[in-house]
Amino acid sequence: MRVLIVEDERKLAQVLSSALEAEHYDVVVAATGEDGFYRANAELFDLVVLDLMLPGRSGLEILQTLRQRHVETPVLILTARDGVEDRVLGLDRGADDYLVKPFALPELLARIRALLRRGRSSEILRLKVANLEMDLVARRVVRGDRAIDLTGREFELLEYLLRHQGSLVSREMLARDVWKEPRRATPLDNVIDVQMARLRRKVDLDGAARLIHTVRGVGFVVREGEP
Ligand code: CA
């Protein structure tokens, strides 16, 4: 599997490329938007990891032009933490998935595997469990015919749970991948529990089958039916 990484931060590009090489991917790194565009356009890749903040030609421009030229290689975009707008624009312009910086390498590798399994499809931009559906582009959540209004953090939390549905999600995973504060002085457990309780009140209303389950002392799992 051939992967193109378009990333101007040299250190990050190096870390990514060694992690991917360790998983036996064939990796090409482009350090500028120009080079990234040229290669993605001229060579064949199974996947492109595309940073959006690049000097010269931006990630969004590259993505848009590639799609206009019918280059259908799956693209995973890397966005800044506060770049919600970029994320939405990126998905709108044909990205297949996104990760917010900083991210943990295991999460990146899992996303890459998922994308390579599915190939190009919009499936990944909609997450579903039972009658709950998340649209990552429009940032809308519905359960049955009821729209659910979530805060930014609640949305990220639910998205993470749905991406890992059926598997146990620990508080450590949430601290690392959603809060992105793995080395905080005070534990995040209380914050996580409070947010989770709020999310659950919105998602699992009285009468509806429960989707967010607590596994005592360990974490949470999203699934249809009891774990
Ligand atoms: Ca950058």
Side-chain angles (χ1 to χ4, degrees), residues 165-181:
Q165 65 178 274
S167 351
L168 186 73
V169 171
S170 66
R171 290 181 180 80
E172 289 73 29
M173 288 164 75
L174 293 173
R176 183 191 70 199
D177 296 332
V178 178
W179 271 265
K180 300 184 187 292
E181 296 181 42

Side-chain angles (χ1 to χ4, degrees), residues 87-219:
R87 229 176 290 169
V88 174
L89 268 177
L91 295 173
D92 253 357
R93 292 186 188 180
D96 297 272
D97 202 359
Y98 72 88
L99 258 183
V100 178
K101 286 179 174 182
F103 48 82
L105 280 175
E107 186 64 22
L108 174 76
L109 294 172
R111 298 289 183 88
I112 288 179
R113 282 194 298 272
L115 275 177
L116 290 173
R117 268 200 309 272
R118 291 181 214 202
R120 273 227 77 202
S121 81
S122 55
E123 203 182 319
I124 212 156
L125 301 179
R126 281 174 180 273
L127 301 171
K128 233 186 129 178
V129 60
N131 62 346
L132 177 80
E133 208 173 317
M134 289 187 92
D135 181 330
L136 300 183
V137 179
R139 289 182 80 78
R140 260 170 47 87
V141 181
V142 292
R143 178 143 192 204
D145 48 18
R146 177 173 63 93
I148 301 177
D149 197 18
L150 298 180
T151 64
R153 179 68 84 197
E154 289 164 354
F155 190 93
E156 286 173 24
L157 194 52
L158 185 62
E159 178 187 342
Y160 192 82
L161 290 169
L162 257 66
R163 283 184 188 274
H164 295 83
Q165 65 178 274
S167 351
L168 186 73
V169 171
S170 66
R171 290 181 180 80
E172 289 73 29
M173 288 164 75
L174 293 173
R176 183 191 70 199
D177 296 332
V178 178
W179 271 265
K180 300 184 187 292
E181 296 181 42
R183 283 180 220 89
R184 237 170 85 122
T186 49
L188 271 173
D189 290 10
N190 282 339
V191 179
I192 291 175
D193 288 349
V194 167
Q195 289 282 352
M196 194 63 86
R198 278 194 199 134
L199 178 62
R200 183 177 271 152
R201 273 201 296 276
K202 293 184 180 179
V203 170
D204 291 336
L205 281 183
D206 292 341
R210 231 210 282 164
L211 296 177
I212 302 175
H213 307 272
T214 302
V215 182
R216 272 189 66 185
V218 195

Side-chain angles (χ1 to χ4, degrees), residues 30-96:
T32 64
E34 295 300 335
D35 188 34
F37 176 75
Y38 175 78
R39 283 172 173 272
N41 201 34
E43 301 174 32
L44 282 177
F45 293 95
D46 297 291
L47 181 93
V48 179
V49 177
L50 178 65
D51 183 31
L52 288 190
M53 293 277 283
L54 295 164
R57 201 192 280 252
S58 84
L60 281 175
E61 286 174 62
I62 294 174
L63 179 62
Q64 189 170 23
T65 316
L66 288 175
R67 293 303 186 232
Q68 277 164 358
R69 296 187 182 186
H70 306 290
V71 176
E72 301 296 339
T73 315
V75 172
L76 172 76
I77 53 175
L78 305 178
T79 72
R81 190 176 184 179
D82 49 4
V84 173
E85 223 164 87
D86 281 353
R87 229 176 290 169
V88 174
L89 268 177
L91 295 173
D92 253 357
R93 292 186 188 180
D96 297 272

Side-chain angles (χ1 to χ4, degrees), residues 7-9 51 53:
E7 170 61 76
D8 60 309
E9 286 165 59
D51 183 31
M53 293 277 283

